[in-house]
Amino acid sequence: MHTVVVGTNGVTASDVLAVARGGARVELSGEALAALAASREIVEALAAKPEPVYGVSTGFGALATRHISPELRAQLQRNIVRSHAAGMGPRVEREVVRALMFLRLKTVCSGRTGVRPSVAQAMADVLNAGITPVVHEFGSLGCSGDLAPLSHCALTLMGEGDAEGPDGVVRPAGELLAAHGIDPVELREKEGLALLNGTDGMLGMLIMALADLDTLYRSADVTAALSLEALLGTDRVLAPELHAIRPHPGQSASAANMLAVLKGSELTGHHQDDAPRVQDAYSVRCAPQVAGAGRDTMAHARLVADRELAAAVDNPVVLPDGRVESNGNFHGAPVAYVLDFLAIAAADLASITERRTDRLLDKNRSHGLPPFLADDAGVDSGLMIAQYTQAALVSEMKRLAVPASADSIPSSAMQEDHVSMGWSAARKLRTAVDNLTRVVAIELYAATRAVELRAGLTPAPATRAVVAAARAAGVAGPGPDRFLAPDLAAADAFVRGGHLLAAVEPVTGPLA
């Protein structure tokens, strides 16, 4: 099994994906263990002094004015975890919780939190045992970290609350720890706070969304090319020299992908045959501009994610010179903004994708295709309602594109009076990505059918490869009306599983 070693300098997006989705094992480097021990010595020295230090010998948030005596400090740390584990609503996905735990471990291993090495090792042990704390949908405002979600994870370390075992069964966390030989953690000064103060949930969801969107944007370039081909459009608008004079990298990459898919097609270039038109519609002609802008948005989001992956987010932090200082680095604004930005870009890509599908189905705009791509229009409805479904998905995505980060709701008796709502931005982006996959799948379903209905003209080799692979995967072709939901589900699985790209790239080469 793949192993990810966590040191003091952060982790990579690939590491997060390996642990969250691939079940990779986690090990702590010797450097990380040494840094943990060194920072713990600093915290313990401060704890022994009579002067109050936030998070070490005081209460938290609006209650930070109370100095806590030594005999109550262990109880203080337990209490913050128990009281903050206040989430409600449905459980969040296993991969999200694993990313959340792994990214908190990443910060702990930086040596900036004052946590003991034994606590960090317990965090790694829980991940390696396949134990997944039960974390709920609601409870994070994206400031002071993803407090409730991280608290539910810390609760599991303490052997309290509920967690899911590697068999998928939810049981008391104490039972699961015992079954895997893991001792519950007895938290000491600052450790409860250090396990809660991070942007780890929203960051983990950002990294996974970027991985999924990378596949989806390349897939959307393929389906856009198939739609252009089915509509007898022109590929001249994809020429590299046209995109070079507006030098957005994403736009050029998208145009190049579409051009590679269309290479060798007999269907393109017929836009002035029977019903001459000077230009294709925007949804066809401007596909690279819209998809390209989304790609460039992703590039900016990756930059933010990489910076967060290198960060040590906690409050207070242990600095290299031995100071323990309060700060505001737990504020989720940088991550929240790009999560919202990606949801906007995804909604726009879905919108232009749906417009191409609608054009394929409209006999007045499809340049000779049958109404709704039906076998016997009137008797058959064809893909009429498939487009309805696609439109419903797009409409939902437009609602999900409303920024969460533009909102703020005060909390903690006005101590935490401006919050990021980054967790909410991440949750709605996950839904948007899921919906975008279905939207692209419906265009694939319509475009492959439309291409096959263009008798007498040979599609591009890449198109033929896509059609053949889709049909082999159960994505049915033209014919009389049938129960359509299973066909659309097959198309969704074809896109979601990366099979569309696997079919096309042996012909085109790797798409950008």
Side-chain angles (χ1 to χ4, degrees):
M1 182 181 291
H2 179 59
T3 298
V4 172
V5 178
V6 184
T8 60
N9 296 319
V11 296
T12 67
S14 295
D15 292 335
V16 177
L17 294 170
V19 173
R21 290 180 165 173
R25 290 187 58 80
V26 177
E27 291 184 3
L28 310 184
S29 73
E31 176 192 29
L33 291 170
L36 284 158
S39 68
R40 185 63 200 175
E41 286 183 6
I42 294 170
V43 168
E44 290 181 353
L46 289 170
K49 292 183 177 182
E51 297 84 9
V53 178
Y54 177 71
V56 176
S57 53
T58 71
F60 309 112
L63 302 176
T65 55
R66 179 175 172 182
H67 183 256
I68 308 298
S69 59
E71 65 272 13
L72 293 176
R73 290 176 188 171
Q75 181 180 339
L76 170 71
Q77 300 301 320
R78 289 194 300 271
N79 285 351
I80 190 175
V81 173
R82 289 167 176 164
S83 66
H84 286 43
M88 292 186 73
R91 287 175 56 194
V92 302
E93 303 82 1
R94 182 177 186 271
E95 66 178 16
V96 172
V97 180
R98 286 185 61 81
L100 176 73
M101 291 192 294
F102 176 67
L103 287 167
R104 184 77 317 227
L105 177 60
K106 175 267 298 183
T107 282
V108 166
C109 286
S110 69
R112 297 286 173 262
T113 68
V115 168
R116 287 169 294 152
S118 60
V119 176
Q121 186 59 58
M123 297 170 75
D125 291 343
V126 168
L127 281 166
N128 292 339
I131 297 171
T132 306
V134 170
V135 173
H136 299 279
E137 182 81 17
F138 299 103
S140 173
L141 300 180
C143 202
S144 286
D146 290 317
L147 284 174
L150 283 164
S151 297
H152 282 275
C153 294
L155 199 66
T156 293
L157 285 177
M158 292 166 50
E160 300 181 19
D162 293 325
E164 179 186 294
D167 58 0
V169 177
V170 174
R171 297 165 58 192
E175 291 182 14
L176 286 168
L177 294 184
H180 290 86
I182 302 170
D183 293 329
V185 170
E186 293 283 346
L187 297 174
R188 297 182 186 171
E189 292 94 344
K190 194 184 178 300
E191 290 180 334
L193 187 61
L195 295 179
L196 314 187
N197 246 324
T199 55
D200 309 291
M202 64 184 91
L203 176 59
M205 286 185 274
L206 171 61
I207 289 165
M208 288 185 282
L210 285 168
D212 294 338
L213 287 169
D214 180 67
T215 296
L216 279 173
Y217 270 84
R218 288 183 289 147
S219 299
D221 288 340
V222 176
T223 60
L226 266 61
S227 289
L228 183 152
E229 196 173 18
L231 290 166
L232 306 178
T234 176
D235 60 0
R236 292 175 62 179
V237 297
L238 305 174
E241 59 270 23
L242 295 176
H243 298 277
I245 61 177
R246 193 189 190 194
H248 293 289
Q251 176 180 322
S252 293
S254 182
N257 286 346
M258 290 181 66
L259 204 56
V261 173
L262 293 168
K263 184 177 180 180
S265 175
E266 292 183 1
L267 276 72
T268 59
H270 295 275
H271 56 291
Q272 294 188 356
D273 287 359
D274 297 330
R277 58 193 190 277
V278 176
Q279 299 173 324
D280 289 317
Y282 284 12
S283 61
V284 177
R285 187 175 10 135
C286 301
Q289 284 76 9
V290 172
R295 287 167 173 272
D296 292 341
T297 300
M298 289 169 58
H300 171 62
R302 284 194 192 96
L303 177 64
V304 172
D306 287 344
R307 289 170 176 166
E308 281 294 287
L309 286 168
V313 177
D314 193 16
N315 178 50
V317 291
V318 181
L319 294 173
D321 60 9
R323 286 180 294 142
V324 175
E325 296 284 1
S326 293
N327 66 91
N329 285 339
F330 49 71
H331 201 289
V335 184
Y337 293 165
V338 293
L339 288 162
D340 280 333
F341 201 172
L342 289 172
I344 292 168
D348 200 34
L349 180 62
S351 182
I352 197 171
T353 300
E354 182 275 331
R355 287 293 82 205
R356 288 191 296 266
T357 304
D358 182 66
R359 186 166 289 271
L360 289 168
L361 272 53
D362 184 352
K363 71 180 183 65
N364 296 311
R365 295 180 292 142
S366 65
H367 312 292
L369 291 170
F372 302 105
L373 305 180
D375 186 64
D376 184 4
V379 175
D380 294 315
S381 295
L383 306 190
M384 179 190 295
I385 308 304
Q387 185 269 329
Y388 279 39
T389 299
Q390 193 183 41
L393 290 162
V394 171
S395 183
E396 172 72 5
M397 290 182 69
K398 291 176 181 177
R399 292 190 291 275
L400 293 168
V402 176
S405 58
D407 184 29
S408 176
I409 187 162
S411 58
S412 193
M414 294 301 288
Q415 174 72 7
E416 298 170 12
D417 59 350
H418 182 84
V419 297
S420 78
M421 304 306 298
W423 173 274
S424 298
R427 296 305 296 166
K428 69 185 182 64
L429 178 59
R430 281 182 71 84
T431 303
V433 171
D434 203 33
N435 285 354
L436 178 60
T437 307
R438 298 184 179 104
V439 170
V440 172
I442 292 173
E443 181 178 31
L444 168 77
Y445 188 69
T448 53
R449 178 183 285 212
V451 165
E452 287 189 299
L453 291 171
R454 292 291 189 190
L457 293 171
T458 303
T463 301
R464 297 199 300 272
V466 168
V467 171
R471 300 297 174 254
V475 184
D481 281 357
R482 56 186 168 267
F483 181 22
L484 202 54
D487 286 2
L488 299 181
D492 175 67
F494 189 69
V495 173
R496 193 177 298 271
H499 306 298
L500 172 57
L501 295 179
V504 76
E505 288 186 328
V507 181
T508 61
L511 298 180

